[in-house]
Amino acid sequence: MNAIFEKIQELDEIPSYSKHERFVEGIVNAINEKIIAVGDPLPSVNAMISGLGYARETVIKGYRELQNRGLIESKNRLGYFVSDDNTQQSLKVALLMYTIDTFQEQFYRSFRNELGANVLLDVFFHHGNIEVFETMFSLVKNRHYGMYVISPIHHPRTRELLNTIPRQKLLMFDRYEPLDGDFQYVVQEFEQSSYAIFEQLADEIKKFDKMVFFHNPDSLFPPEIVKSFQRFIKEHQIKGKVLREYEPGSVEKGVVYYVNENAELWNLLRDCAAKKIKPGKDIGILSHNDEPVKELVGNGITTYSVSFSEMGKRAAQAVLSREPVHEVLPTKLIRRNSL
């Protein structure tokens, strides 16, 4: 224990260092010099106060930073222990995502790049399944990360789980779920933004006979968009309906198809090619969430989306800066030839 005190006290010679910085750097140096190793106990808060003469708040703040970096962990009633000797990492982050599809991958790549090499990032997936979410959440929470970056599921049990994370360690991304207290988020909004996009496209949509929206209630697709669609066709007196899925071979001229599942979009485009039906002329096609392939297929598919790359960048900046962020990213229409 005395060796740890000595490593902290020898930094007294650096006048520009605060007591907090001496405390943290002294323990980091003790790890680097093999004075303490993974699994070794650290002095208690009271022992640190007595041995160093530091205030309790300074010691607790120092231990908290080392926990956030993933270098130490607190074991209930046993005290603090060294948990990792990778002192180059500045922070340990848990990222809990839906899955890796094209646009989620855009988020991940941007998030990872913006964090930089010194941040340890562990990635978990819940696939929109509440049982899997609970399992992954328990695993993540028990590892004592410095930040928890979570894409939540729209489910009653989600709120109860997220309420167990300290607010200063939680960053919600993609979908917003209301919680008590102040917490950070970088998200998109679905209902009002979708309605605004439909209105921008109203003149083009009205050139066709009707509009069909394919939506499987069991999918991860936001139900708020269904409300927007139903409100839009009612207020604009457009003939339209919601169907569970696209049936291969059922494409017909004069219809605007709102298709979001890529498998259904490929089937629709395949049928268009077989029947010599031209998207943008004989039918209209609209899709949610932009991705590079939608710029290329079908002579260009009209989409609307937030920028998932920007979402990843903004989320990472919030993690690194620890500055409060409450951001709803803008949803933008990307006009192409299909509508």
Side-chain angles (χ1 to χ4, degrees), residues 231-247:
R231 175 186 164 201
F232 170 72
I233 61 175
K234 179 180 180 180
E235 293 185 356
H236 287 262
Q237 299 182 340
I238 292 171
K239 185 179 179 182
K241 58 183 176 181
V242 178
L243 298 178
R244 187 179 182 89
E245 61 185 8
Y246 173 73
E247 294 185 9

Side-chain angles (χ1 to χ4, degrees), residues 59-71:
V59 174
I60 291 174
K61 182 181 177 183
Y63 272 150
R64 184 181 300 123
E65 179 173 332
L66 291 164
Q67 282 182 286
N68 289 344
R69 291 191 188 187
L71 296 176

Side-chain angles (χ1 to χ4, degrees), residues 204-221:
E204 284 77 12
I205 292 171
K206 289 178 180 179
K207 293 175 183 177
F208 297 88
D209 300 328
K210 61 181 178 180
M211 186 173 184
V212 175
F213 180 8
F214 297 110
H215 170 65
N216 184 342
D218 298 327
S219 72
L220 302 178
F221 193 74

Side-chain angles (χ1 to χ4, degrees), residues 297-313:
V297 300
N299 201 24
I301 303 300
T302 293
T303 65
Y304 70 99
S305 180
V306 300
S307 169
F308 288 93
S309 293
E310 182 65 19
M311 185 184 290
K313 179 179 179 180

Side-chain angles (χ1 to χ4, degrees), residues 67-80:
Q67 282 182 286
N68 289 344
R69 291 191 188 187
L71 296 176
I72 71 171
E73 62 181 344
S74 173
K75 296 182 179 179
N76 190 29
R77 299 183 179 179
L78 295 176
Y80 294 97

